[in-house]
Amino acid sequence: MDKFVIRGGTPLLGTIKISGAKNAALPAMAAALLTEEPVILENIPQVRDIETERRLLAAMGAEVELGYGRAQHRTTICTRNLSANPEASYELVKTMRASSLVLGPLVARIGFARVSMPGGCAIGARPIDLHIKGLERLGATITQDHGYIEARATRLKGNHIVFDKITVTGTEDIMMAAALAEGDSVMENCAREPEVADLADLLNKMGAKIEGAGTSTIRIRGVEKLGGARHRIIPDRIEAATFIIAGALTGGDLLVSGMEPLHQTALLGKLEEVGVKFHVTEDSVRVMGDGPLKAADMTTEEYPGFPTDVQAQYMALATQAEGTSIVVENIFENRFMHVQELVRMGANIKVEGRRAVVRGKSPLSGAAVLASDLRASASLVLAALVADGETIIDRVYHIDRGYEHIEEKLRGVGAQMRRIGELLPKK
Ligand code: UD1
């Protein structure tokens, strides 16, 4: 298992370019299941979750061609020859919950899908009941046995669906299914994340008739058939937010480029409160991290609110702000696993249920810490960049799930960071 070794204290100077959004690429790849024709996706990030999805689709008989050289971020997917009983196995679903995104497309296209139940995971229970309810509303029959969900339908039928709770992949899953259903669907209380709108853009290029994606009501006119398309994935707003915070924390002068600043309204508003100086252009944010940071409370919310996927990174910043910041996690239970590691580095944080009380400013010192999930690991990298001495972060496979070449990108702007493989035990 790889580790990161980071020596803190160097301000980040220069330009970091943002990769394609993992959370937009995953549903886009699943959308290729809706057609026999090839779907060409550009700006696909080279991260482990994408490789997991490639394996998932390939196991169902899809041809997934990855680009090489200058085309390395292009993926062509052709699902003409799908297996008769496609399945998302427990092995794959347990490493990546987003595997459940194949449920809707499969049942819509071939009338059958079998997907392992996700089970508990590090950041809470994360059920998929809303995906199931949505498919049932479209006429699918769902059964459950041996830890798997099976969905069957001859042809899905459009319907009115109101989500009990806002779910990002649930909205995407049902939107894909409804695109091939017979008749019209109206989905309400939908997730408004940019990744949902990006998926609708792709589906419409494939011939779907979807309106309103990116708002809480989505209207879909079902079509008989979808075709191939070429689509460029939007920039990763969570990666961009992570690097913006890195610039603010390290007191550097960092240009985060190739991003969409309109997707960062909640973060930039919060950074203004914290006293971070930044300059926004059409596709970049320059962070000038000099001057003191002030504590500011933050609550995670569905988009356009402050993203839960940036909560852990924000907390690393809050440890370096003067005063007390209250951080409330509204989306997931149990998403404070980074706290105990930050405390080991010298942070003063107390967790009370869904609230964390961060008292700053605390000097951080390098320590051996353990990454527990994707975004928690990012917060440890950020803390390590300002800690005194050396931090060793173990289990960085979590960070490799969603950040493309993070150590190369950070080294390129001056961070002292390297990756080491597991040391072999001495004989
Ligand atoms: C997506 C993102 C993830 C992000 C999350 C919230 C992808 C691939 N992942 O995850 O990075 O952290 O949105 O912004 O896009 N819920 C249910 N029943 C369901 C589905 C969800 O109760 O059927 C609950 C979840 O437990 C959670 C909340 O709804 O408390 C939101 O989850 P959801 O939006 O579905 O997260 P994901 O789509 O899995």
Side-chain angles (χ1 to χ4, degrees):
M1 259 185 267
D2 288 358
K3 297 182 170 72
F4 282 146
V5 180
I6 300 173
R7 179 163 288 278
T10 317
L12 302 183
L13 301 170
T15 303
I16 285 195
K17 195 165 177 321
I18 295 308
S19 300
K22 165 185 89 76
N23 285 355
L26 292 174
M29 290 173 78
L33 290 167
L34 289 161
T35 174
E36 293 194 341
E37 293 176 18
V39 171
I40 302 168
L41 300 171
E42 279 159 7
N43 208 25
I44 294 277
Q46 290 177 331
V47 296
R48 204 162 53 94
D49 273 8
I50 296 296
E51 173 53 20
T52 305
E53 177 122 351
R54 189 195 65 74
R55 282 170 45 213
L56 176 68
L57 296 176
M60 297 174 178
E63 290 164 38
V64 187
E65 199 186 287
L66 303 174
Y68 293 96
R70 289 177 67 183
Q72 59 184 324
H73 291 98
R74 181 186 306 149
T75 296
T76 305
I77 306 171
C78 184
T79 66
R80 185 172 301 130
N81 303 311
L82 278 185
S83 55
N85 298 307
E87 167 180 303
S89 70
Y90 177 63
E91 280 315 303
L92 292 172
V93 177
K94 78 171 189 220
T95 58
M96 189 181 72
R97 253 191 101 263
S99 309
S100 50
L101 278 167
V102 300
L103 198 54
L106 282 175
V107 74
R109 158 113 174 267
I110 61 166
F112 177 80
R114 183 172 149 86
V115 173
S116 168
M117 299 277 283
C121 90
I123 58 170
R126 306 189 89 179
I128 58 165
D129 56 309
L130 301 171
H131 299 233
I132 293 171
K133 269 193 193 169
L135 286 176
E136 281 176 337
R137 294 282 298 163
L138 295 176
T141 308
I142 311 281
T143 51
Q144 200 183 314
D145 75 304
H146 305 294
Y148 278 77
I149 290 163
E150 286 187 3
R152 285 187 173 76
T154 37
R155 171 106 198 256
L156 295 175
K157 290 207 170 39
N159 205 343
H160 188 190
I161 295 159
V162 183
F163 289 100
D164 297 340
K165 188 173 178 182
I166 297 176
T167 159
V168 179
T169 48
T171 301
E172 293 165 344
D173 202 11
I174 304 309
M175 182 167 77
M176 288 191 275
L180 268 191
E182 189 185 338
D184 295 353
S185 296
V186 178
M187 293 166 43
E188 291 190 74
N189 201 26
C190 296
R192 292 181 285 165
E193 267 67 1
E195 293 76 17
V196 175
D198 195 46
L199 174 64
D201 280 351
L202 165 64
L203 294 169
N204 284 339
K205 286 178 193 166
M206 292 167 67
K209 303 265 178 278
I210 302 174
E211 278 177 13
T215 73
S216 50
T217 303
I218 302 180
R219 291 171 200 279
I220 302 166
R221 171 145 295 176
V223 296
E224 281 275 315
K225 223 174 163 190
L226 292 169
R230 179 188 281 264
H231 181 71
R232 187 173 171 81
I233 300 294
I234 54 171
D236 195 313
R237 65 193 166 93
I238 307 300
E239 187 199 20
T242 303
F243 290 136
I244 291 171
I245 294 177
L249 251 178
T250 60
D253 185 349
L254 191 65
L255 184 74
V256 181
S257 74
M259 57 169 288
E260 177 47 89
L262 293 175
H263 296 166
Q264 305 291 346
T265 318
L267 173 69
L268 295 178
K270 197 47 71 182
L271 292 184
E272 225 157 36
E273 266 182 67
V274 174
V276 176
K277 292 201 190 83
F278 56 85
H279 177 73
V280 178
T281 72
E282 201 185 324
D283 67 347
S284 71
V285 173
R286 179 178 165 199
V287 207
M288 293 144 293
D290 59 344
L293 303 174
K294 301 187 293 278
D297 298 345
M298 185 279 278
T299 300
T300 63
E301 279 161 21
E302 292 90 359
Y303 189 85
F306 196 101
T308 172
D309 284 352
V310 188
Q311 179 255 106
Q313 300 88 316
Y314 181 79
M315 207 182 283
L317 183 74
T319 68
Q320 299 308 296
E322 293 292 345
T324 301
S325 311
I326 310 235
V327 173
V328 180
E329 173 55 56
N330 258 335
I331 308 295
F332 291 110
E333 48 195 275
N334 221 352
R335 205 177 194 180
F336 282 141
M337 255 115 51
H338 43 285
V339 167
Q340 58 190 25
E341 303 302 294
L342 291 174
V343 167
R344 297 189 58 240
M345 295 176 73
N348 180 346
I349 309 173
K350 298 245 163 3
V351 173
E352 302 156 358
R354 284 179 178 250
R355 269 163 44 111
V357 181
V358 187
R359 293 201 167 78
K361 163 185 185 175
S362 312
L364 300 181
S365 61
V369 291
L370 211 55
S372 55
D373 70 55
L374 171 56
R375 307 305 172 184
S377 355
S379 94
L380 298 180
V381 170
L382 296 183
L385 290 174
V386 286
D388 181 39
E390 202 167 76
T391 298
I392 300 176
I393 305 178
D394 201 353
R395 300 199 183 158
V396 301
Y397 57 84
H398 286 296
I399 210 161
D400 292 335
R401 284 187 51 198
Y403 287 88
E404 184 173 56
H405 308 313
I406 188 169
E407 73 272 30
E408 285 162 32
K409 288 192 183 189
L410 284 171
R411 262 207 314 265
V413 291
Q416 296 189 52
M417 174 171 184
R418 65 198 160 91
R419 179 187 288 259
I420 52 170
E422 191 164 34
L423 299 175
L424 294 172
K426 282 193 184 131
K427 285 200 175 146

